């Protein structure tokens, strides 16, 4: 890609980025307890004795959470470790009743993998993934409920997270944005995380350092819990600039944890960065190591759907859809499902892809709806596209019919019948209208015949209007040429 450089007083700098993405595992219950995980519940209504860290409670691993993390690892072509282990990460915080988080430091469930990204306007690039480990989420402190007190909500306490750790392979905000987008797309395809960043089910710790091109890596800072793609990119932009200015002013970057302030677009120091040994990690004595058998792994692999890269390739190579359309239609699993439902109803792939990209997306945009809320079903859409293909409707009639479908929910065929919107190729009727148009515009006919070719469009428009838009445009073109050139 055209490389991203930061201009400083001492020349150009390169930015180095690694992301740690926390993705909440889609599961009914928590990682080590049976408490529910639904978003938006009243505070402290989804807390078991285990999540509240009552003495003597024992954690029991939730098989589904492990399975989802394994499936995710498989989806990024990662090594799956058949033997892994949970460790305690010890620290004190008021939202962490246990006084430690159960995580995986030494033997993570998932090892090395990779993701291919396609930053806008740039060549694809492979970003390495170092590991995915499974861990518990903490609770949430609430400082805005009482003038002098803080409250704690433990609903999130013990919810399963996957921490997906990238290699420091990204070199621009655009690459980081493309990486989070692609990762979210994969997670949604797999169904292991809903990827909902606004609700906090996916958030990124953004590691940034700067260096002179060719130099060794610089010291990084880590900006915690960034919860949108736009903010990830903004945090990198700000942090890289800050580090360059700092170094050029004779300062040094300290390894620290920072917070992003979305209102001001700046990062702020939160605390100096702790190292692994500060947490006194040790194997959790309440849990046996995880040992996965082949049947478990085989089932997990067999359960994976076709993933976005493979799907995009198939759309292009097998269905003959343009690269751009294939890219857009496969980026989001809901869109791909909707589109494939249209094909299952008999729609022709290329025509259907063009229709979804222009007509459906246009309408959904106007209505402020997502594709899963589309007022028109894939089956209805397939019928509409079919009516264009078999010549019953012209493109412009199809647009009219679609508008009526959106308003009334009726099927295309019904609308065509009831409103008489069929396209006509009746040459007699079209020729009669052409004759009238030519009679009414003798000056234009003369000009056209004198060489003003551009007027052809005028005649097409007049004839179509006279036919109330229902004439087959190809037939109109044909007959007009004959009549005018006569
Ligand atoms: P820790 O566990 O202490 O956060 P890691 O070595 O596991 O440290 O790295 C965490 C993240 O920081 C990874 O995503 C990695 O890619 C990234 N990272 C490591 N070194 C750098 C660097 N010099 N610049 C930017 N990112 C880095
Ligand atoms: Mg970290």
């Amino acid at each position: 890609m055209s490389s991203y450089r930061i201009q400083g007083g001492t020349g150009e700098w390169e930015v180095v980025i690694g992301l740690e993405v926390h993705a909440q595992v889609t599961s009914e219950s928590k990682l080590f307890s049976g408490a529910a995980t639904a978003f938006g519940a009243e505070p402290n209504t989804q807390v078991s004795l285990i999540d509240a860290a009552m003495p003597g409670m024992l954690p029991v691993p939730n098989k589904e959470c492990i399975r989802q993390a394994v499936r995710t690892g498989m989806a990024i072509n990662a090594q799956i470790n058949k033997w892994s282990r949970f460790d305690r990460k010890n620290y004190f915080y008021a939202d962490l009743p246990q006084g430690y988080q159960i995580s995986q430091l030494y033997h993570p469930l998932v090892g090395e993998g990779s993701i291919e990204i396609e930053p806008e306007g740039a060549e694809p690039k492979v970003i390495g993934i170092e590991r995915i480990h499974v861990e518990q989420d903490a609770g949430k402190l609430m400082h805005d409920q009482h003038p002098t007190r803080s409250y704690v909500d433990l609903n999130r306490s013990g919810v399963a997270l996957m921490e997906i750790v990238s290699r420091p392979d990204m070199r621009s905000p655009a690459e980081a944005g493309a990486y989070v987008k692609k990762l979210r797309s994969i997670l949604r395809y797999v169904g292991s995380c809903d990827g909902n960043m606004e609700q906090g089910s996916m958030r990124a710790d953004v590691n940034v350092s700067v260096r002179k091109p060719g130099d060794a890596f610089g010291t990084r800072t880590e900006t915690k819990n960034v919860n949108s793609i736009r903010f990830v990119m903004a945090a990198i932009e700000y942090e890289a600039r800050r580090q360059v200015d700092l170094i050029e002013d004779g300062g040094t970057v300290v390894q620290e944890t920072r917070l992003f302030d979305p209102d001001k677009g700046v990062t702020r120091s939160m605390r100096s960065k702790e190292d692994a040994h500060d947490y006194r990690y040790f194997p959790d004595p309440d849990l046996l190591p995880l040992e996965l058998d082949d049947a478990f792994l085989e089932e997990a692999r067999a359960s994976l759907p076709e993933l976005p890269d493979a799907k995009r390739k198939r759309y292009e190579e097998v269905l003959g859809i343009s690269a751009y359309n294939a890219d857009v239609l496969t980026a989001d699993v809901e869109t791909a499902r909707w589109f494939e439902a249209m094909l299952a109803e008999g729609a022709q792939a290329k025509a259907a892809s063009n229709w979804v990209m222009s007509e459906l997306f246009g309408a959904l945009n106007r209505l402020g709806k997502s594709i899963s809320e589309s007022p028109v079903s894939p089956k209805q859409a397939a019928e509409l596209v079919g009516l264009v293909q078999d010549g019953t409707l012209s493109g412009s009639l199809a647009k009219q019919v679609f508008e009526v479908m959106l308003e009334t929910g009726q099927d295309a065929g019904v609308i065509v019948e009831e409103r008489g919107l069929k396209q006509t190729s009746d040459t007699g009727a079209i020729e009669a209208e052409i004759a009238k148009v030519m009679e009414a515009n003798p000056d234009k006919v003369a000009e056209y015949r004198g060489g003003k070719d551009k007027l052809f469009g005028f005649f097409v428009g007049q004839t179509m209007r006279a036919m109330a838009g229902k004439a087959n445009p190809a037939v109109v073109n044909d007959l007009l040429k004959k009549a005018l050139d006569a």
Side-chain angles (χ1 to χ4, degrees):
M1 80 178 282
S2 58
S3 59
Y4 177 87
R5 290 285 186 268
I6 297 154
Q7 194 59 48
T10 63
E12 291 190 326
W13 294 77
E14 184 178 51
V15 55
V16 173
I17 305 147
L19 296 178
E20 296 161 275
V21 172
H22 287 93
Q24 179 176 333
V25 177
T26 302
S27 104
E28 297 287 322
S29 52
K30 296 184 179 179
L31 182 54
F32 298 115
S33 84
T37 58
F39 178 78
E42 280 291 298
N44 298 311
T45 54
Q46 300 180 156
V47 187
S48 76
L49 295 173
I50 293 175
D51 311 319
M54 291 298 132
M57 293 297 111
L58 285 174
V60 178
N62 178 338
K63 191 170 175 182
E64 178 60 14
C65 295
I66 305 302
R67 180 176 167 271
Q68 290 290 31
V70 165
R71 295 173 73 242
T72 305
M74 290 170 167
I76 59 161
N77 299 311
Q79 146 135 20
I80 309 298
N81 296 321
K82 290 175 83 173
W83 193 96
S84 67
R85 197 183 65 193
F86 287 104
D87 302 304
R88 285 189 183 180
K89 178 180 184 180
N90 299 283
Y91 67 93
F92 173 80
Y93 202 65
D95 65 8
L96 187 78
Q98 284 174 160
Y100 57 85
Q101 177 191 27
I102 304 181
S103 181
Q104 298 189 303
L105 178 68
Y106 302 104
H107 298 281
L109 181 61
V110 178
E112 284 193 63
S114 64
I115 288 182
E116 187 173 290
I117 60 166
E118 299 92 24
E120 228 160 285
E123 288 297 301
K125 175 173 174 178
V126 174
I127 305 298
I129 308 271
E130 192 180 306
R131 58 198 265 144
I132 302 179
H133 60 259
V134 178
E135 64 186 22
Q136 300 174 299
D137 204 350
K140 191 176 77 179
L141 289 183
M142 297 182 291
H143 304 293
D144 54 359
Q145 308 286 310
H146 190 279
T148 56
R149 292 173 187 195
S150 286
Y151 286 85
V152 64
D153 173 10
L154 294 180
N155 281 352
R156 295 190 72 101
S157 170
V159 163
L161 301 177
M162 295 179 277
E163 181 167 336
I164 304 159
V165 183
S166 88
R167 298 244 171 241
D169 287 349
M170 288 159 272
R171 293 292 177 270
S172 69
E175 287 185 7
Y179 170 82
V180 178
K181 217 164 161 183
K182 187 62 176 281
L183 178 59
R184 185 175 61 181
S185 166
I186 293 171
L187 293 172
R188 285 179 171 162
Y189 265 80
V190 170
S192 58
C193 169
D194 65 25
N196 198 330
M197 297 186 84
E198 308 86 74
Q199 294 181 358
S201 353
M202 195 176 148
R203 45 197 202 262
D205 296 349
V206 183
N207 296 273
V208 175
S209 64
V210 297
R211 65 173 174 184
K212 285 293 174 73
D215 280 3
F217 284 157
T219 304
R220 74 190 149 105
T221 61
E222 179 179 11
T223 302
K224 281 274 186 201
N225 284 329
V226 186
N227 67 353
S228 87
I229 292 179
R230 198 157 53 85
F231 294 162
V232 166
M233 294 169 68
I236 294 167
E237 195 122 6
Y238 176 86
E239 190 52 23
R241 180 82 250 170
R242 185 189 72 83
Q243 292 181 14
V244 166
D245 290 348
L246 180 65
I247 298 168
E248 292 197 330
D249 283 349
T252 40
V253 176
V254 282
Q255 185 170 328
E256 63 181 355
T257 301
R258 299 178 70 88
L259 275 185
F260 181 67
D261 175 345
D263 295 328
K264 302 216 166 69
V266 304
T267 64
R268 276 199 205 96
S269 178
M270 190 164 88
R271 56 170 189 257
S272 69
K273 166 87 182 155
E274 43 304 269
D275 283 315
H277 61 253
D278 296 321
Y279 291 110
R280 303 291 183 269
Y281 275 97
F282 65 86
D284 192 300
D286 287 341
L287 288 159
L288 287 168
L290 281 176
E291 289 185 61
L292 309 181
D293 61 34
D294 291 333
F296 180 82
L297 294 177
E298 271 161 36
E299 185 285 326
R301 194 173 292 283
S303 76
L304 284 179
E306 183 181 38
L307 293 164
D309 286 343
K311 204 183 266 306
R312 193 188 53 212
K313 196 152 176 266
R314 178 170 65 84
Y315 280 18
E316 275 188 65
E317 291 174 5
V318 181
L319 300 181
I321 292 173
S322 74
Y324 179 76
N325 284 7
D327 198 27
V328 175
L329 292 173
T330 57
D332 163 52
V333 69
E334 294 288 341
T335 307
R337 281 202 194 117
W338 208 97
F339 173 68
E340 288 180 21
M342 248 184 109
L343 302 192
E345 294 292 342
Q348 194 268 332
K350 247 177 138 155
S353 77
N354 290 329
W355 183 85
V356 168
M357 295 283 295
S358 54
E359 306 303 323
L360 182 64
F361 285 172
L364 293 174
N365 232 334
R366 254 189 295 133
L367 298 170
K369 288 187 191 284
S370 71
I371 198 157
S372 49
E373 303 162 331
S374 166
V376 166
S377 71
K379 181 167 192 231
Q380 289 179 304
E383 184 194 1
L384 177 63
V385 169
L387 290 173
V388 177
Q389 295 250 287
D390 72 11
T392 306
L393 292 175
S394 64
S396 65
L397 279 177
K399 281 183 207 286
Q400 290 180 42
V401 171
F402 182 44
E403 285 307 317
V404 181
M405 290 170 75
L406 288 169
E407 268 165 42
T408 65
Q410 282 179 303
D411 289 346
V414 174
I415 296 166
V416 168
E417 280 309 317
E418 279 184 3
R419 311 203 176 198
L421 286 171
K422 244 190 207 110
Q423 158 173 276
T424 176
S425 304
D426 176 349
T427 50
I430 298 171
E431 274 167 347
E433 294 305 332
I434 289 176
K436 278 191 226 159
V437 169
M438 287 172 66
E439 229 173 86
N441 299 283
D443 47 336
K444 295 236 165 45
V445 173
E447 280 179 59
Y448 175 83
R449 288 182 171 155
K452 206 166 168 195
D453 292 351
K454 267 194 273 173
L455 277 172
F456 192 73
F458 164 80
F459 291 108
V460 173
Q462 292 293 308
T463 310
M464 286 305 273
R465 181 180 306 174
M467 297 289 302
K470 289 180 212 158
N472 181 328
V475 176
V476 169
N477 268 291
D478 248 26
L479 296 177
L480 256 177
K481 274 226 170 73
K482 272 188 208 142
L484 286 167
D485 294 345

